[in-house]
Amino acid sequence: MAGVLDDPFLHSANQQVEAARADRSKKPTIAGFFDEATNTISYVVHDPATCEAAIIDSVLDYDAAAGRTSFVSAERIIEYVEARGLTVVWLMETHAHADHLSAAPYLQEKLGGKLAIGREITQVQNVFGKLFNAGSEFERDGSQFDHLFDDGDRFALGGIDAIALHVPGHTPADMAFIIGDAAFVGDTLFMPDFGTARADFPGGDAAQLYRSIKRLLTLPRETRIFLCHDYKAPGRDDYAWETNVGQQRDLNVHVKDGISEKEFVAMRTARDKNLAMPTLILPSVQVNIRGGRLPDPDDNGVSYIRIPVNAV
């Protein structure tokens, strides 16, 4: 408990989770939407009493060969929200994703809500703004989003308390959102049999990722954890994206209890050297640092994704 007591934001998150476990009215209803093309899970989280909802890590379908976007994944979410009479108040990104484009602007147009991400998105915008030579017209201040979360920011879905925690390491801007008794952890953790996220992107740091994960795993053991991706570990036939703190502490192949920071960093560094870049990293990051919006059209009315050659 020392880590909790030394960390006021984590202490608040622990109290929130315990309150939700004691009072079912403080537990959110959660629906996951799996996109097999990108192995991404998007979530609709809502308070069943007030029907206020958040959409987390949505997917815009993108055919890289044709350069075409579509809204099949987003429409599944819209259908779910409308069928249940939910009011969307938040469209949340755990970070600027490198493996899929965000559908948040499209969902915002259809359903409303504030588009939000962690404040350190400005670091990612600076790095990738230079890589894509985005020019002075591309603002690097996070203004593409309606709200920038700081570590420890409190918010709510109806009567359900929530808190945002900064969990860098995969990227500098990663956030986890603790809503009632449920933690949405983005790309920090995978299922226990698959391990943890990579830390070799610009601004990534394996030691920082270890400390962020250990911070999350100080939440109560029963805290539900919802993941952004699943790739089916060897020997597992089904996709899965819900686990809990206890399972992660006991079973995670990369970061379970007893694995030191030094051991983790050595493993993560060696593993990351052999990982290919995500297939959609260049279009995804280019769009997601803009809040999910395509670059402005050229004078012919066409929007272009830039692919830097021999630069990454």
Side-chain angles (χ1 to χ4, degrees):
M1 286 294 291
V4 178
L5 296 176
D6 294 341
D7 184 335
F9 303 144
L10 190 57
H11 180 63
S12 295
N14 270 261
Q15 289 182 317
Q16 173 188 298
V17 170
E18 294 291 4
R21 291 183 59 227
D23 182 351
R24 291 184 61 84
S25 70
K26 297 183 181 295
K27 290 187 176 183
T29 298
I30 300 163
F33 297 81
F34 182 66
D35 175 55
E36 190 166 358
T38 63
N39 294 91
T40 302
I41 305 94
S42 306
Y43 296 99
V44 178
V45 188
H46 78 271
D47 174 6
T50 67
C51 290
E52 284 196 1
I55 299 171
I56 302 175
D57 291 337
S58 61
V59 172
L60 176 68
D61 303 296
Y62 180 66
D63 181 341
R68 288 190 173 275
T69 60
S70 60
F71 305 102
V72 175
S73 296
E75 288 294 341
R76 290 171 60 206
I77 290 175
I78 292 170
E79 181 181 0
Y80 177 89
V81 167
E82 292 182 339
R84 287 155 183 79
L86 306 182
T87 300
V88 174
V89 294
W90 291 106
L91 299 138
M92 306 166 76
E93 304 288 351
T94 54
H95 63 296
H97 305 277
D99 39 37
H100 71 273
L101 283 66
S102 170
Y106 179 78
L107 292 167
Q108 187 176 46
E109 177 186 340
K110 300 295 184 181
L111 299 172
K114 290 183 178 180
L115 175 55
I117 200 167
R119 186 171 299 280
E120 299 307 314
I121 186 61
T122 56
Q123 290 190 45
V124 181
Q125 289 176 327
N126 274 317
V127 170
F128 284 97
K130 292 175 184 175
L131 175 64
F132 294 117
N133 198 26
S136 58
E137 66 275 11
F138 172 59
E139 299 291 344
R140 294 160 169 82
D141 59 0
S143 57
Q144 299 84 354
F145 300 85
D146 301 314
H147 184 82
L148 301 179
F149 279 109
D150 288 306
D151 190 29
D153 276 356
R154 305 302 302 262
F155 62 104
L157 287 182
I160 298 177
D161 292 331
I163 188 168
L165 297 179
H166 185 214
V167 287
H170 173 61
T171 80
D174 282 62
M175 301 297 292
F177 301 112
I178 319 301
I179 303 175
D181 69 329
F184 299 86
V185 300
D187 285 14
T188 55
L189 285 162
F190 297 138
M191 289 299 290
D193 57 1
F194 201 89
T196 59
R198 65 196 298 164
D200 60 331
F201 293 152
D205 184 290
Q208 198 172 49
L209 177 61
Y210 179 89
R211 293 190 290 269
S212 291
I213 290 171
K214 289 300 183 180
R215 188 186 193 202
L216 289 170
L217 297 186
T218 313
L219 291 165
R221 288 179 62 88
E222 299 81 6
T223 306
R224 296 183 287 167
I225 292 178
F226 293 87
L227 312 174
C228 190
H229 298 288
D230 186 56
Y231 302 97
K232 286 197 297 190
R236 175 157 54 87
D237 296 328
D238 299 318
Y239 290 109
W241 49 83
E242 181 179 351
T243 176
N244 63 45
V245 166
Q247 291 170 353
Q248 293 284 352
R249 290 185 60 173
D250 294 342
L251 302 172
N252 189 288
V253 294
H254 292 169
V255 74
K256 64 186 176 184
D257 287 357
I259 295 177
S260 70
E261 181 176 319
K262 182 178 179 180
E263 291 170 322
F264 176 82
V265 170
M267 176 281 302
R268 191 70 266 168
T269 302
R271 185 178 176 88
D272 289 349
K273 286 180 180 178
N274 296 313
L275 294 178
M277 285 290 103
T279 302
L280 295 181
I281 184 171
L282 294 176
S284 294
V285 174
Q286 197 168 165
V287 168
N288 293 337
I289 59 175
R290 292 175 164 86
R293 300 172 185 86
L294 296 173
D296 291 336
D298 280 7
D299 54 12
N300 63 355
V302 176
S303 184
Y304 290 87
I305 297 291
R306 308 190 77 184
I307 304 298
V309 178
N310 297 327
V312 294

